[in-house]
Amino acid sequence: MKALVRQFRRDYPRRPQPVYPGVHVGGRERAPAIRWRLGGGAPRQSWLHFTSPILQRHLEDHRVPYATRRAWMDLDAQAQLLNMEASMAAAERRVLDSYVEHIDALTELAETYRAS
């Protein structure tokens, strides 16, 4: 994920960018995800999807060429694949953690029954 963000910064070095991607770290239960932020003097806001109407309006306001937008859409498609993989891995970890907790509880219960 970070490599994709670095690639964007390397391929589009102009500062300030009207929008830029970053790795948004979700809560304890959620996987990190690549999302977009508005740049170019816009007020701080939450992380946005590339398809967000707010983000698209911002691109219009900054007159970002359609060719650049298409390139950024391709980058966002790659980001969505990474987001999906990270989300699936996080879900698997949650299930495995729950399984381990359950097995530990069963082990404690078995030891209690053996002691009686």
Side-chain angles (χ1 to χ4, degrees):
M1 288 186 170
K2 289 180 181 179
L4 195 61
V5 171
R6 280 193 303 271
Q7 175 189 338
F8 175 87
R9 290 183 180 148
R10 185 180 56 251
D11 293 348
Y12 301 96
R14 186 184 104 184
R15 297 285 186 254
Q17 283 293 350
V19 298
Y20 59 93
V23 177
H24 174 249
V25 179
R28 187 176 65 86
E29 296 287 321
R30 299 191 56 204
I34 296 176
R35 297 281 189 265
W36 296 81
R37 279 254 166 114
L38 303 182
R44 289 292 274 188
Q45 78 305 101
S46 58
W47 294 91
L48 303 168
H49 288 278
F50 193 79
T51 56
S52 162
I54 295 169
L55 190 140
Q56 293 302 315
R57 191 169 39 252
H58 193 71
L59 293 176
E60 285 293 324
D61 292 345
H62 285 268
R63 295 183 177 96
V64 175
Y66 286 123
T68 302
R69 294 182 202 191
R70 283 192 300 272
W72 292 353
M73 285 173 45
D74 291 343
L75 186 125
D76 190 63
Q78 293 175 38
Q80 293 310 311
L81 286 174
L82 292 173
N83 291 347
M84 182 188 64
E85 290 171 2
S87 179
M88 290 173 57
E92 288 173 356
R93 275 193 304 277
R94 285 192 304 272
V95 168
L96 289 173
D97 287 346
S98 174
Y99 176 73
V100 167
E101 287 176 11
H102 186 75
I103 294 298
D104 288 344
L106 286 175
T107 302
E108 285 180 29
L109 195 55
E111 288 174 7
T112 302
Y113 289 166
R114 242 180 266 131
S116 312

